[in-house]
Each structure stands twice: as C-alpha cells, then as structure tokens.
Amino acid sequence: MTAQVIDGKAIAATMRAELKAEVETLKDRGIVPGLGLILVGDDAASQSYVRAKERACEEAGIYSDDNRLAADTSQDELMGLVERMNGDPKIHGILVQLPLPKQINEAEVLLAIDPAKDVDGFHPVSVGRMVLGQAGFLPCTPHGVVQLLLRSGVTIEGAHVVIVGRSNIVGKPLANMLIQKKEGANATVTVCHTRTKDLARHTRQADIVIAAAGRPNTVTADMIKDGAVVIDVGVNRVEDATKKKGYRLAGDVDFEAVREKASLITPVPGGVGPMTITMLLYNTVESAKMAAGML
Ligand code: NAP
C-alpha cells in the first residue's frame, strides 16, 4: 500500500479562506479581530515565526499589534505590555513568542495573560478547561493535528492513537483532546516517551501514530501496521550538503519507507506546520466573537 499524502498546505489554505470570509462578516458588524504579538530579542527563528504570523493576520483581515522589544527588556517592561494588551479592547488574543531571554520569568509572563485572550492556549486556565472538556482555547499545534485528521476523513472515534512525545505543547494536550467524550474525539490513547519500553510494540498496535519527538527517524516502517494513519509533527534540521543552507527539514518519521505501509501520511514540510498558525487565527476570531457576546 502506498499512502495518500495529506496536504497540510491545502487544508490550511481552505481553513484560512473560511476564516477570512468570517472576518469579513464580523467587520460588517463592526467587529475587527485583533492579535497582539510580542517578540523579545533578535532570535532569527522567532523573528521569522512572528513575521509569518503577521503576514497570516494581514491576509485574513485580522488586525495585528506588533511589538518588538530589545533583548535586554526587563520583566517589569514585558509585564507592563501584557497588562496594556489585557486592557485593550482592540486586542482579542495575545501571543508572546517563546523562548524568552534568560532574565525573563516565562511562566510569570504567560500567567499574566488574561485567559480570555490566551489564544496560544498555554495558560493554566486554558489547560484546565481543555482537560475538563470545557469550551476554551486549544493549543494551536495539537488542535491543528486534530483538524488535519478530521478534514482528511479519518475516524478518530474508537481508534487507538499512539502519540510519541509528552511535551506540554504537543503530546500532552493532544492526548487530552483525543480522549474527550465528544464528537471528533473518543479515541483510545497511548502516550510514549523516552522511558517507554519497546516503543515499536506500542506503535505497531496503533490505527493512528502521531510522532512529536523532535528526532529524525524515530518512527520507521517496521513500527507501523499496514494501513495506519501517520502524522508527523516533528521539524528537524538534517545536514544536507546538496542544499544551499547546508541542511534540509525532516520530520520524525522515515517518510519514504513508512509511506509504503501507511494509508495516510503527512509530509514535512507541508503537513502539520501550516496548520499551527491557522489555528492561531482561528482562536483569535473565536476570541473576538466571545468578546462580542456571540458565543
Ligand atoms: P520536546 O519538548 O523536546 O518533547 C519531545 C518529546 O518526545 C518528549 O516527551 C520526549 O520524551 C519524547 N521523545 C524524544 N525522543 C524520543 C524517542 N526516541 N522515543 C520516544 N519518545 C521520545 O518537543 P516538542 O516541543 O513537543 O516538539 C516535538 C517536535 O515537534 C519537534 O521537532 C518540534 O520542532 C516539532 N513542533 C512542530 C510544530 C509545528 O508547528 N509543526 C509545533 C511544535 C513542535 P521525554 O519526555 O521522556 O524526554
């Protein structure tokens, strides 16, 4: 069996077009969704992520308030900016780009964000709501994975999902979303990590394998049952002398070999990646609707 490749770019483009149309409708009612972006320092990767978020907002018609702060910004300055955004009615979502410089207490900053504007879904209040199955902001990458599955026609209900990785931003929230007793969830979930004994024994039993380990070739063809769905969250730089930059991007899955056994598979790049910013836009629009009393 050769797997069908899930086109994350196309699914993200469809969702962004839906959001753009929704933003236009909201604007007709005088509501302009707004996202406050905060970047501290000059980390090249963070700068490019923030630029991509700004561009995405612009394309969707979402107002963005971009704040670039110097690398030596103090805790007080940053907390002051978060407080200003908490009180700004034009801003429905606040995103503090991580990682923050060493002098900043990251947990304190994230805790200061008004949970009603926590579009990254990392505030303990958002995490608690997600675990309890209550309405709230879902973290963008795991929510993007769920959307990719559903929009590719994968039945999650009753499926055995094996997640490789237990981080707070991908593995743990994903497991929580998939076990919820609700439509589009109801999966049986196994979460694996570096202390898991015999990882392959678990992945071979999975209807859906989700790799979020941050290591190339963590999931190989012998670890997959025939016809399984394989989602690759990993983004790794692999040395490649044939490339101008000297590296190429690879996921956690041995794509070419696993593709011959799976029924559906995501590529890297072009799989989960494009969904993350899309879900940030989604959360910002939802937040604007909530602030306007529409939800
Ligand atoms: P992380 O915080 O480093 O967590 C990695 C997890 O994988 C840990 O729980 C670790 O186990 C587990 N793990 C690592 N190697 C393993 C192995 N050989 N066998 C079993 N488990 C293993 O990483 P993350 O932040 O969750 O990110 C994971 C990957 O997704 C990274 O490549 C990251 O770049 C990518 N990512 C992509 C997006 C996107 O938008 N596409 C967004 C976020 C992350 P322990 O807990 O035991 O250490």
Side-chain angles (χ1 to χ4, degrees):
M1 170 181 281
T2 301
Q4 191 188 326
V5 177
I6 295 177
D7 186 345
K9 267 195 206 159
I11 294 173
T14 302
M15 280 199 79
R16 288 189 198 194
E18 289 167 8
L19 285 166
K20 188 174 178 175
E22 198 172 1
V23 169
E24 275 165 22
T25 313
L26 288 172
K27 282 184 175 168
D28 290 343
R29 302 177 59 164
I31 301 160
V32 182
L35 178 66
L37 287 162
I38 303 176
L39 171 64
V40 187
D42 39 28
D43 177 70
S46 294
Q47 282 178 340
S48 87
Y49 293 142
V50 169
R51 264 199 307 275
K53 287 166 188 173
E54 284 166 1
R55 255 201 320 272
C57 281
E58 200 179 315
E59 281 164 19
I62 293 173
Y63 161 73
S64 69
D65 178 357
D66 309 325
N67 294 268
R68 312 284 173 115
L69 305 183
D72 62 355
T73 297
S74 69
Q75 182 82 19
D76 284 352
E77 267 176 277
L78 183 52
M79 295 293 273
L81 180 55
V82 170
E83 280 310 322
R84 177 182 74 69
M85 288 185 170
N86 279 342
D88 185 343
K90 293 198 299 298
I91 293 178
H92 303 100
I94 300 172
L95 184 131
V96 180
Q97 186 65 44
L98 302 180
L100 290 166
K102 285 195 179 66
Q103 76 276 14
I104 304 282
N105 179 338
E106 197 168 286
E108 196 186 345
V109 174
L110 295 183
L111 204 58
I113 295 173
D114 180 348
K117 300 189 177 189
D118 177 39
V119 286
D120 241 350
F122 293 152
H123 193 287
V125 169
S126 303
V127 176
R129 286 187 181 140
M130 173 189 65
V131 172
L132 294 170
Q134 297 172 359
F137 298 114
L138 298 173
C140 300
T141 299
H143 193 193
V145 168
V146 174
Q147 286 298 316
L148 270 187
L149 289 168
L150 294 174
R151 286 174 180 251
S152 303
V154 176
T155 304
I156 297 175
E157 176 144 345
H160 181 200
V161 182
V162 173
I163 301 171
V164 186
R166 58 174 164 185
S167 74
N168 289 338
I169 63 165
V170 188
K172 269 189 222 164
L174 195 46
N176 272 291
M177 284 178 213
L178 293 170
I179 57 166
Q180 292 301 321
K181 192 169 184 175
K182 64 169 198 183
E183 209 184 316
N186 285 317
T188 301
V189 178
T190 302
V191 181
C192 300
H193 44 78
T194 55
R195 309 295 163 91
T196 297
K197 286 182 188 157
D198 196 354
L199 178 63
R201 185 172 65 82
H202 295 283
T203 56
R204 265 187 225 117
Q205 289 170 27
D207 303 307
I208 302 171
V209 174
I210 303 173
R215 284 157 197 245
N217 291 319
T218 303
V219 176
T220 50
D222 57 310
M223 295 168 72
I224 296 294
K225 91 173 169 190
D226 282 330
V229 174
V230 180
I231 304 291
D232 193 349
V233 184
V235 181
N236 308 293
R237 283 184 179 188
V238 178
E239 267 186 48
D240 187 340
T242 68
K243 302 283 175 199
K244 217 164 113 190
K245 289 180 179 165
Y247 67 86
R248 65 185 160 83
L249 291 184
D252 293 346
V253 175
D254 178 1
F255 180 82
E256 292 305 336
V258 170
R259 189 181 178 177
E260 296 307 319
K261 273 184 106 175
S263 59
L264 279 171
I265 188 167
T266 58
V268 177
V272 174
M275 294 300 287
T276 297
I277 294 183
T278 306
M279 301 322 295
L280 176 70
L281 303 178
Y282 172 87
N283 279 350
T284 306
V285 172
E286 289 295 288
S287 183
K289 289 182 344 199
M290 258 184 269
M294 293 169 66
L295 290 178

